Amino acid sequence: QVQLVESGGGLVQAGDSLRLSCAASGRTFSSNVMGWFRQAPGKEREFVAGINWSDGGTYYANSVRGRFTISGDNAKNTVYLQMNSLKPEDTAVYYCAASVKLGSTRPRDFGSWGQGTQVTVSS
């Protein structure tokens, strides 16, 4: 089992930036992919971005591509999500998750989840 702890959320204005962090511990070697998801009130959890540990390959949801950047630090077992040009529709609880399935964007493929961090973007 992998334990994940997110941090970095907060209240910002439209156009601002935030960087989320996700620290992993436990059986981190068992995970091939780290991903970020988000869930707004009354909506389903949706994929935001993912990174493959093996080659550093990244992939994004269309709604954030060009504004968000996912990166990882293997030495620190930490994944980051740099969010620029934030919009009110980015408001959600953001979750970090780990999966063994390369390239996955489906929540059900991710077996370990953090507790989430709130991001609120005001207009």
Side-chain angles (χ1 to χ4, degrees):
Q1 189 74 8
V2 178
Q3 290 78 46
L4 303 170
V5 179
E6 304 98 333
S7 61
L11 172 63
V12 297
Q13 293 186 333
D16 285 350
S17 298
L18 272 178
R19 189 177 80 155
L20 305 183
S21 298
C22 173
S25 61
R27 295 173 59 87
T28 57
F29 56 85
S30 65
S31 300
N32 295 321
V33 175
M34 296 295 292
W36 285 97
F37 290 78
R38 66 187 181 186
Q39 188 166 19
K43 295 187 177 181
E44 293 187 353
R45 190 167 298 188
E46 65 173 358
F47 170 78
V48 175
I51 183 167
N52 298 326
W53 279 127
S54 60
D55 60 6
T58 59
Y59 50 107
Y60 299 91
N62 289 334
S63 59
V64 306
R65 186 175 290 111
R67 299 188 298 123
F68 291 10
T69 302
I70 188 171
S71 62
D73 185 332
N74 285 328
K76 296 182 178 180
N77 285 332
T78 300
V79 176
Y80 305 97
L81 184 68
Q82 177 67 42
M83 306 185 294
N84 298 330
S85 302
L86 283 161
K87 304 175 181 180
E89 50 264 44
D90 294 318
T91 295
V93 177
Y94 283 71
Y95 297 91
C96 176
S99 174
V100 298
K101 191 168 184 177
L102 289 174
S104 178
T105 63
R106 300 182 303 183
R108 63 184 180 185
D109 289 335
F110 288 75
S112 298
W113 292 83
Q115 82 288 349
T117 185
Q118 176 71 47
V119 172
T120 303
V121 184
S122 64
S123 58

